[in-house]
Amino acid sequence: MSERLKPGDTAPAFTLPDADGNDVSLADHKGRKVIVYFYPAALTPGCTKQACDFTDNLDLLAGAGYDVIGVSPDKPEKLAKFREKENLKVTLVGDPAKETLEAYGAYGEKKLYGKTVTGVIRSTVVVDEDGKVAHAFYNVKATGHVAKIIKDLKI
Protein backbone atom coordinates (compact mmCIF):
# COMPACT_ATOMS: atom_id res chain seq x y z
CA MET A 1 0.00 0.00 0.00
CA SER A 2 1.48 3.31 -1.01
CA GLU A 3 1.95 6.21 1.37
CA ARG A 4 -0.46 9.09 1.13
CA LEU A 5 1.04 12.50 0.52
CA LYS A 6 0.66 15.34 2.99
CA PRO A 7 0.96 19.12 2.60
CA GLY A 8 4.63 20.10 2.55
CA ASP A 9 5.78 16.84 0.91
CA THR A 10 7.67 17.12 -2.36
CA ALA A 11 5.33 16.04 -5.15
CA PRO A 12 6.77 12.96 -6.90
CA ALA A 13 8.13 13.79 -10.35
CA PHE A 14 6.49 12.08 -13.29
CA THR A 15 6.60 11.94 -17.07
CA LEU A 16 3.65 10.16 -18.67
CA PRO A 17 2.17 9.95 -22.19
CA ASP A 18 -0.88 12.08 -22.94
CA ALA A 19 -3.79 11.18 -25.22
CA ASP A 20 -1.60 11.94 -28.25
CA GLY A 21 1.37 9.94 -26.97
CA ASN A 22 3.38 13.07 -26.07
CA ASP A 23 5.25 13.13 -22.77
CA VAL A 24 3.82 15.36 -20.05
CA SER A 25 6.01 16.01 -16.99
CA LEU A 26 5.21 17.66 -13.71
CA ALA A 27 8.48 19.56 -14.25
CA ASP A 28 6.94 21.19 -17.36
CA HIS A 29 4.65 23.07 -14.97
CA LYS A 30 7.32 24.43 -12.60
CA GLY A 31 6.33 27.90 -11.46
CA ARG A 32 2.60 27.11 -11.90
CA LYS A 33 0.19 25.49 -9.49
CA VAL A 34 -1.02 22.10 -10.69
CA ILE A 35 -4.10 20.10 -9.78
CA VAL A 36 -3.21 16.45 -10.41
CA TYR A 37 -6.26 14.25 -10.18
CA PHE A 38 -6.32 10.47 -10.25
CA TYR A 39 -9.31 8.54 -11.58
CA PRO A 40 -9.94 4.81 -12.18
CA ALA A 41 -10.88 4.59 -15.86
CA ALA A 42 -11.68 6.68 -18.91
CA LEU A 43 -15.13 6.30 -20.47
CA THR A 44 -16.87 5.33 -17.21
CA PRO A 45 -19.78 7.37 -15.78
CA GLY A 46 -18.13 8.78 -12.63
CA CYS A 47 -14.83 9.54 -14.34
CA THR A 48 -16.67 11.18 -17.23
CA LYS A 49 -18.60 13.42 -14.81
CA GLN A 50 -15.37 14.41 -13.04
CA ALA A 51 -13.45 15.11 -16.27
CA CYS A 52 -16.36 17.16 -17.63
CA ASP A 53 -16.52 19.16 -14.37
CA PHE A 54 -12.80 19.94 -14.64
CA THR A 55 -13.23 20.89 -18.33
CA ASP A 56 -16.20 23.15 -17.48
CA ASN A 57 -14.15 24.92 -14.79
CA LEU A 58 -10.81 24.99 -16.63
CA ASP A 59 -10.96 28.71 -17.46
CA LEU A 60 -11.74 29.58 -13.84
CA LEU A 61 -8.92 27.35 -12.55
CA ALA A 62 -6.44 28.61 -15.17
CA GLY A 63 -7.38 32.19 -14.32
CA ALA A 64 -6.43 31.44 -10.71
CA GLY A 65 -3.06 30.06 -11.87
CA TYR A 66 -3.84 26.32 -11.87
CA ASP A 67 -3.06 23.75 -14.55
CA VAL A 68 -5.03 20.49 -14.43
CA ILE A 69 -3.69 17.01 -15.23
CA GLY A 70 -5.84 13.87 -15.02
CA VAL A 71 -4.02 10.56 -14.44
CA SER A 72 -5.48 7.09 -14.98
CA PRO A 73 -4.02 3.66 -15.75
CA ASP A 74 -5.41 3.93 -19.31
CA LYS A 75 -3.31 3.80 -22.47
CA PRO A 76 -3.09 6.93 -24.69
CA GLU A 77 -5.46 5.44 -27.30
CA LYS A 78 -8.26 5.11 -24.74
CA LEU A 79 -7.56 8.60 -23.41
CA ALA A 80 -7.86 9.99 -26.95
CA LYS A 81 -11.26 8.28 -27.38
CA PHE A 82 -12.35 9.68 -24.00
CA ARG A 83 -11.22 13.20 -24.92
CA GLU A 84 -12.95 13.11 -28.33
CA LYS A 85 -16.20 11.52 -27.08
CA GLU A 86 -16.62 13.95 -24.17
CA ASN A 87 -14.94 17.01 -25.77
CA LEU A 88 -12.51 17.25 -22.84
CA LYS A 89 -10.04 20.11 -22.53
CA VAL A 90 -8.07 18.85 -19.51
CA THR A 91 -4.70 17.20 -20.06
CA LEU A 92 -5.12 13.44 -19.63
CA VAL A 93 -2.12 11.19 -19.12
CA GLY A 94 -1.87 7.42 -18.83
CA ASP A 95 0.02 5.44 -16.20
CA PRO A 96 -0.46 1.77 -17.21
CA ALA A 97 2.48 0.74 -14.96
CA LYS A 98 0.72 2.51 -12.05
CA GLU A 99 4.05 3.89 -10.77
CA THR A 100 2.83 7.49 -10.54
CA LEU A 101 -0.50 6.38 -9.08
CA GLU A 102 1.40 4.50 -6.36
CA ALA A 103 3.88 7.36 -5.77
CA TYR A 104 0.94 9.67 -5.07
CA GLY A 105 -0.84 7.21 -2.78
CA ALA A 106 -3.66 6.89 -5.31
CA TYR A 107 -3.43 3.15 -5.84
CA GLY A 108 -4.12 0.48 -3.28
CA GLU A 109 -6.87 -1.16 -1.28
CA LYS A 110 -10.28 0.47 -1.32
CA LYS A 111 -13.86 -0.47 -0.65
CA LEU A 112 -16.04 -1.05 -3.70
CA TYR A 113 -19.66 -2.07 -3.14
CA GLY A 114 -18.72 -3.36 0.32
CA LYS A 115 -15.80 -5.49 -0.91
CA THR A 116 -12.11 -4.70 -0.45
CA VAL A 117 -10.40 -4.45 -3.83
CA THR A 118 -7.09 -3.13 -5.11
CA GLY A 119 -7.34 -0.31 -7.59
CA VAL A 120 -7.17 3.41 -8.23
CA ILE A 121 -8.25 5.52 -5.26
CA ARG A 122 -9.99 8.61 -6.65
CA SER A 123 -7.69 11.35 -5.35
CA THR A 124 -6.57 14.89 -6.06
CA VAL A 125 -3.23 16.45 -5.15
CA VAL A 126 -2.66 20.19 -5.50
CA VAL A 127 1.00 21.01 -6.16
CA ASP A 128 2.33 24.53 -5.56
CA GLU A 129 4.71 26.53 -7.77
CA ASP A 130 7.72 25.02 -6.01
CA GLY A 131 6.66 21.41 -6.54
CA LYS A 132 5.42 20.89 -2.98
CA VAL A 133 2.08 19.35 -2.04
CA ALA A 134 -0.33 22.13 -1.00
CA HIS A 135 -3.40 19.88 -0.55
CA ALA A 136 -4.04 16.14 -0.81
CA PHE A 137 -7.59 14.81 -1.04
CA TYR A 138 -8.18 11.03 -1.00
CA ASN A 139 -11.31 8.90 -1.57
CA VAL A 140 -13.09 11.84 -3.17
CA LYS A 141 -16.47 11.58 -4.87
CA ALA A 142 -16.61 12.07 -8.63
CA THR A 143 -19.70 14.27 -8.42
CA GLY A 144 -19.24 17.67 -6.79
CA HIS A 145 -15.51 17.23 -6.25
CA VAL A 146 -14.44 20.07 -8.56
CA ALA A 147 -16.83 22.49 -6.83
CA LYS A 148 -15.35 21.43 -3.47
CA ILE A 149 -11.78 22.01 -4.73
CA ILE A 150 -12.73 25.48 -5.99
CA LYS A 151 -14.23 26.24 -2.55
CA ASP A 152 -11.25 24.75 -0.64
CA LEU A 153 -8.76 26.70 -2.77
CA LYS A 154 -10.86 29.88 -2.33
CA ILE A 155 -11.06 30.48 -6.09
Side-chain angles (χ1 to χ4, degrees):
M1 181 93 167
S2 43
E3 288 283 315
R4 291 193 168 178
L5 297 176
K6 298 175 293 313
D9 288 348
T10 298
F14 64 82
T15 301
L16 296 167
D18 69 7
D20 299 313
N22 300 316
D23 282 348
V24 173
S25 297
L26 185 60
D28 298 341
H29 298 268
K30 192 109 174 104
R32 300 255 317 152
K33 295 175 277 195
V34 187
I35 296 170
V36 185
Y37 80 96
F38 300 90
Y39 63 99
L43 300 166
T44 58
C47 299
T48 297
K49 173 82 180 105
Q50 190 178 20
C52 289
D53 281 355
F54 271 117
T55 292
D56 293 346
N57 288 286
L58 208 52
D59 289 344
L60 176 69
L61 293 165
Y66 291 90
D67 296 335
V68 179
I69 301 172
V71 182
S72 74
D74 298 306
K75 291 186 166 51
E77 303 77 36
K78 187 172 179 189
L79 296 175
K81 277 190 197 125
F82 188 34
R83 182 185 61 197
E84 306 313 315
K85 181 173 187 272
E86 303 299 338
N87 201 20
L88 301 173
K89 302 282 182 254
V90 292
T91 300
L92 300 173
V93 298
D95 181 21
K98 302 177 185 74
E99 289 168 4
T100 300
L101 287 157
E102 288 181 3
Y104 276 79
Y107 189 83
E109 282 190 358
K110 63 179 184 174
K111 291 270 188 234
L112 190 65
Y113 307 115
K115 289 192 172 85
T116 300
V117 298
T118 299
V120 176
I121 299 162
R122 193 180 301 276
S123 312
T124 300
V125 175
V126 180
V127 181
D128 70 15
E129 300 89 338
D130 300 317
K132 299 275 187 215
V133 174
H135 301 275
F137 307 99
Y138 290 95
N139 293 310
V140 301
K141 301 267 180 262
T143 305
H145 177 57
V146 175
K148 183 178 177 345
I149 288 175
I150 289 168
K151 186 169 164 267
D152 288 351
L153 298 177
K154 297 174 178 51
I155 298 173

